[in-house]
Amino acid sequence: MALASTVDIVLGSIAFATFWVLAVFPAVPFLPVGRTAGALFGAMLMVLFRVISPEEAYSAVDLPILGLLFGTMVVSIYLERADMFKYLGRLLTYKSKGASSANIGSAVTPIGNPQNLIIAVQGKISFGKFLAGLIPAMLLGVLVNIIFLLCLYWRLLSVDKDEEQAVSEVVAEDDMVSHRFSPATMSRVNSFNSLELSDIIDGVAHGPSISGESWNSETLRNRIILHENDTQRVGSDRIESMRISNASRENGGEDEGTRRSLGIDGLTHPTENGSSDSSPVNSLEETEALINRWKRLSWKTSVYLVTLGMLVALLMGLNMSWTAVTAALALVVLDFKDAGPCLEKVSYSLLLFFCGMFITVDGFNKTGIPGAVWDLMEPHARIDSATGVIVLAFVIIILSNIASNVPTVLLLGTRVAASAAAISAAEEKKAWLILAWVSTVAGNLSLLGSAANLIVCEQARRAISSYTLSFWSHLWFGFPSALIVIAVGLPLIRG
């Protein structure tokens, strides 16, 4: 592709650089507007600088990708409401210090991550073919990654596991103690006997302390007064209920139904045949609770079946965007309530970010710079040779960690595919899958390489046993791991 005019090259480069800085560093001091506003700002500059026309900007927005993103986000929201991710979290919980396996696993399907969406739509690769082409590489890559994690962090993982077990035991013990001293229950009153009092006195004598200071007589006196007040309050409540019960009997039992419905006396009443008769209100509440549980279970089952149907439709090769949108609307209808609260959880900022990025990248492509760079590298990056695949992989790795993986796919995708299509149709599909594999796993190389890394880093910092995952500590593991996983997976990718 020929280079544009010098003015367009300069202005287009400024617009793209602005987008890149705000996308990679969303809180820069001179313009802390965030990624979404940064993408829209870059798109606006491309139009204002007349690098592209408004009509070209509109056409640059890929509606099928946006539809697929929207549909999958809505389905994910309903799956979250149906506790799917909670169940999966319990099933798949494994203590590790990176997000690396999540990145590797996301490479296997078109809906695993945003760059795969772009590759599947632009490359016209069906869900089933995408899955079949990458699943061997993914399985081996995850296995290698686990082995690498265990080799580097086996001792640390073992120590942390023991610490977590100790913390859980302490928490369980605290729960037990707090339950035993819970106020205003009859079991609590009955359990407060001379033995428990002697335990408290014994604790004072032998030195339990709070905040490093021993209990004193004032603390003991307050503790005993608190127990006495609780006992008196429960006793007075009991006397009051008995008084009301006697008054109702004197009135001929006319308030018996009311008294039962309010549960004043807290007792069961014998029937004529001697069996105890529970409160009708309690029975109705239990029945209603049972019905609600069955409704909830039925709704969850419907959500899972719709999601399974969506996956089956994708495997059959149906249009991915319309399939995802149809599944989302089916869940909205099955929910049978206002969809506003669920639709409000859709990340519309992400959709706007993609719109701005599509326009910005398209404008940068029109400057001719990406095409000129690819023309220089194409002879050395052809995928019909092992050397060419290695060169292409390194180019994708570098660009993915500099420009991020989604812009890299938008900049290189059509060019890499066109170069491979000149060899054969099978090689074209393989080129798209190589791009998907390398750009996704390359996110493991550095902490800033993917959003998953940043999310896990923040979760580790907020955990009970707080762990700070620094840039260099992640690079120590991520750099060799990413290169090894990419290398072992490349030979297994099938066109």
Side-chain angles (χ1 to χ4, degrees):
M1 181 178 180
L3 290 172
S5 64
T6 304
V7 175
D8 286 345
I9 291 176
V10 173
L11 295 179
S13 299
I14 292 174
F16 184 79
T18 302
F19 156 75
W20 180 83
V21 170
L22 295 178
V24 177
F25 308 102
V28 291
F30 61 87
L31 197 63
V33 297
R35 289 187 174 91
T36 300
L40 295 175
F41 188 53
M44 181 197 69
L45 290 178
M46 285 291 182
V47 176
L48 289 179
F49 293 160
R50 296 186 176 181
V51 178
I52 58 175
S53 65
E55 292 75 17
E56 290 173 329
Y58 288 129
S59 62
V61 177
D62 199 321
L63 291 179
I65 293 176
L66 295 181
L68 184 54
L69 270 174
F70 174 80
T72 53
M73 281 192 286
V74 173
V75 172
S76 297
I77 290 168
Y78 279 95
L79 284 175
E80 182 181 10
R81 281 186 54 196
D83 298 329
M84 171 62 78
F85 300 120
K86 181 178 71 174
Y87 300 147
L88 290 177
R90 292 175 180 174
L91 179 65
L92 302 176
T93 296
Y94 182 80
K95 186 171 178 58
S96 65
K97 298 301 180 183
S100 51
S101 294
N103 281 336
I104 298 171
S106 71
V108 77
T109 66
I111 59 176
N113 54 60
Q115 64 267 20
N116 282 10
L117 293 177
I118 298 171
I119 291 171
V121 173
Q122 292 186 350
K124 296 180 174 60
I125 305 175
S126 67
F127 190 96
K129 291 181 179 179
F130 201 107
L131 179 66
L134 284 173
I135 195 169
M138 183 274 292
L139 293 176
L140 182 59
V142 169
L143 178 62
V144 171
N145 189 67
I146 291 174
I147 294 174
F148 206 75
L149 273 170
L150 293 177
C151 289
L152 287 182
Y153 297 109
W154 174 261
R155 184 172 300 176
L156 183 60
L157 290 173
S158 301
V159 171
D160 287 350
K161 184 176 180 181
D162 295 338
E163 290 178 355
E164 279 193 353
Q165 185 175 0
V167 170
S168 64
E169 291 176 356
V170 171
V171 172
E173 183 178 354
D174 290 341
D175 291 341
M176 180 185 67
V177 173
S178 64
H179 174 72
R180 190 177 60 181
F181 287 95
S182 60
T185 60
M186 290 304 297
S187 60
R188 149 73 181 77
V189 174
N190 294 332
S191 65
F192 184 68
N193 49 28
S194 59
L195 178 61
E196 186 174 352
L197 180 60
S198 65
D199 291 339
I200 298 175
I201 296 174
D202 183 68
V204 175
H206 295 284
S209 60
I210 299 177
S211 302
E213 297 181 3
S214 300
W215 286 9
N216 52 33
S217 59
E218 185 66 24
T219 303
L220 177 60
R221 186 181 302 111
N222 294 336
R223 188 71 176 272
I224 295 175
I225 291 173
L226 176 62
H227 284 287
E228 290 176 350
N229 291 338
D230 289 342
T231 305
Q232 291 173 1
R233 181 168 59 83
V234 175
S236 63
D237 293 342
R238 186 70 174 176
I239 293 172
E240 180 66 17
S241 66
M242 292 175 66
R243 185 186 66 77
I244 296 174
S245 176
N246 292 330
S248 64
R249 289 193 184 96
E250 292 175 359
N251 292 331
E254 59 184 8
D255 293 332
E256 182 72 16
T258 305
R259 185 167 53 82
R260 283 193 179 192
S261 64
L262 294 177
I264 294 175
D265 58 359
L267 300 175
T268 58
H269 301 273
T271 59
E272 294 181 357
N273 56 7
S275 61
S276 61
D277 181 20
S278 60
S279 172
V281 174
N282 292 336
S283 299
L284 290 175
E285 290 177 353
E286 292 176 359
T287 303
E288 185 178 357
L290 182 61
I291 293 174
N292 289 334
R293 282 198 298 269
W294 276 107
K295 286 182 178 179
R296 175 72 174 168
L297 180 60
S298 301
W299 181 79
K300 282 185 178 182
T301 305
S302 300
V303 173
Y304 300 155
L305 289 177
V306 170
T307 305
L308 181 62
M310 182 188 75
L311 295 176
V312 171
L314 292 175
L315 287 172
M316 292 173 61
L318 299 183
N319 183 279
M320 288 188 289
S321 298
W322 283 107
T323 298
V325 172
T326 302
L329 293 178
L331 292 175
V332 169
V333 173
L334 286 173
D335 197 25
F336 205 69
K337 63 177 65 173
D338 182 15
C342 285
L343 295 180
E344 287 174 358
K345 295 181 180 180
V346 172
S347 180
Y348 296 103
S349 61
L350 178 62
L351 299 178
L352 289 174
F353 172 80
F354 267 80
C355 292
M357 182 177 60
F358 286 143
I359 297 171
T360 305
V361 172
D362 187 65
F364 189 58
N365 276 328
K366 291 187 182 302
T367 63
I369 295 177
V373 173
W374 176 249
D375 290 339
L376 293 175
M377 302 201 59
E378 182 182 10
H380 311 287
R382 296 176 62 86
I383 66 170
D384 55 349
S385 67
T387 304
V389 172
I390 294 174
V391 172
L392 177 62
F394 271 105
V395 171
I396 298 172
I397 291 172
I398 294 172
L399 286 179
S400 294
N401 281 274
I402 294 178
S404 187
N405 43 24
V406 177
T408 296
V409 169
L410 290 173
L411 290 171
L412 286 181
T414 55
R415 294 177 174 86
V416 173
S419 175
I423 303 172
S424 68
E427 293 296 320
E428 180 184 6
K429 177 189 168 186
K430 182 179 179 180
W432 282 114
L433 295 179
I434 288 175
L435 185 61
W437 173 252
V438 179
S439 64
T440 301
V441 182
N444 286 341
L445 192 141
S446 69
L447 190 60
L448 302 177
S450 73
N453 294 347
L454 298 176
I455 292 171
V456 170
C457 177
E458 184 65 16
Q459 288 179 341
R461 187 181 65 82
R462 295 180 179 180
I464 296 177
S465 54
S466 179
Y467 182 85
T468 301
L469 187 62
S470 66
F471 176 86
W472 296 109
S473 63
H474 183 278
L475 189 68
W476 169 253
F477 165 78
F479 184 83
S481 171
L483 296 181
I484 293 173
V485 171
I486 289 173
V488 299
L490 280 174
L492 300 178
I493 296 177
R494 296 179 292 177

